[in-house]
Amino acid sequence: MRSLRILFLTRSFNSLAQRLWLDLTASGHALSVELDISDSVTAEAVALFKPDLIVAPFLKRAIPEAVWRHTVCLIVHPGIVGDRGPSALDWAIEEGASEWGVSVIQAEAEMDAGPVWATERFAMREASKSSLYRREVTEAASRAVARAVLHFSEHGAVPPPPSKATPQGRWRPMMRQDSRRIDWQQDSTHTVLRKLRAADGTPGVADTLFDLPCQLFDGHAQSLSHLHPPG
């Protein structure tokens, strides 16, 4: 495997970006980090560092066409093959998916629609979005990015052949508060917990308590046994 110059383009240098940085540095690659704040800053970073490859661990917006047209850009997407959209993990948690994954997708004009360079699946836990992101998503991303970078180092800009697995994902929009809203008269405890877990960290679930607007986080099921003592 040849050593590469890899530019990390990321919204923030979060736990996932830090893990991938350590992995790729340990593999002998030269890395530079650029925070994704504007097209002009991104273009300048590419011109200065002259990367062989761009890896985007965490983005909130599209990579400029002037960049991905000339340099392969691999986006770490917290979704299975075929899944598209900015709230992948949120939907998977709220809909109760038993299995999910991470895909490394080449940036193109259409969001999350480029060639898939690597993918990893994992079993879902009954856990918050932040917990799943820090553990299962990060571990899966580490393996998938390592495979994608290895393929690039050996074959250049030619992506791997498509997976034989039938895509199970689909395009889904950004999850907004109308999809997160809790119906306290109809939703079961399990449904309420899924909605809270899917909104964990950000943005929370908008609600009203004691006539005051609030954001709900970190819910836990409470047994009612203490309300009915024996005897």
Side-chain angles (χ1 to χ4, degrees), residues 19-216:
R19 169 62 182 274
L20 298 180
W21 168 281
L22 291 172
D23 289 348
L24 295 174
T25 300
S27 297
H29 302 294
L31 272 71
S32 178
V33 174
E34 187 61 53
L35 297 183
D36 180 46
I37 58 175
S38 71
D39 288 0
S40 61
V41 170
T42 296
E44 182 181 25
V46 172
L48 291 173
F49 188 63
K50 296 180 174 56
D52 302 305
L53 177 67
I54 295 173
V55 173
F58 174 55
L59 292 180
K60 291 282 190 176
R61 64 191 199 99
I63 296 174
E65 182 176 356
V67 172
W68 60 256
R69 281 284 184 192
H70 299 96
T71 306
V72 173
C73 301
L74 300 181
I75 297 171
V76 180
H77 176 68
I80 57 177
V81 173
D83 177 83
R84 299 171 58 210
S87 300
L89 192 56
D90 303 58
W91 286 111
I93 295 169
E94 184 155 328
E95 293 178 354
S98 60
E99 187 182 57
W100 202 237
V102 171
S103 300
V104 180
I105 305 171
Q106 185 172 344
E108 290 190 344
E110 193 173 354
M111 184 177 182
D112 300 332
V116 176
W117 283 64
T119 187
E120 286 281 337
R121 303 286 287 247
F122 57 83
M124 291 280 277
R125 290 181 292 125
E126 293 286 342
S128 68
K129 178 172 62 174
S130 58
S131 178
L132 289 164
Y133 188 85
R134 287 192 298 266
R135 293 175 58 180
E136 282 85 347
V137 169
T138 297
E139 292 299 324
S142 175
R143 297 190 298 271
V145 169
R147 290 211 321 276
V149 170
L150 176 61
H151 182 89
F152 182 88
S153 73
E154 294 178 343
H155 303 283
V158 180
S163 171
K164 294 181 180 179
T166 302
Q168 298 181 34
R170 64 187 189 278
W171 164 259
R172 287 183 287 193
M174 177 177 287
M175 183 179 284
R176 302 192 183 279
Q177 288 296 341
D178 57 349
S179 297
R180 302 182 190 275
R181 185 174 297 113
I182 295 172
D183 185 337
W184 293 104
Q185 301 302 316
Q186 299 294 329
D187 289 346
S188 66
T189 297
H190 189 62
T191 298
V192 170
L193 289 177
R194 283 209 312 263
K195 291 180 176 181
L196 293 174
R197 288 167 179 161
D200 176 72
T202 181
V205 175
D207 210 316
T208 303
L209 291 178
F210 307 108
D211 297 322
L212 294 174
C214 61
Q215 301 292 120
L216 305 182

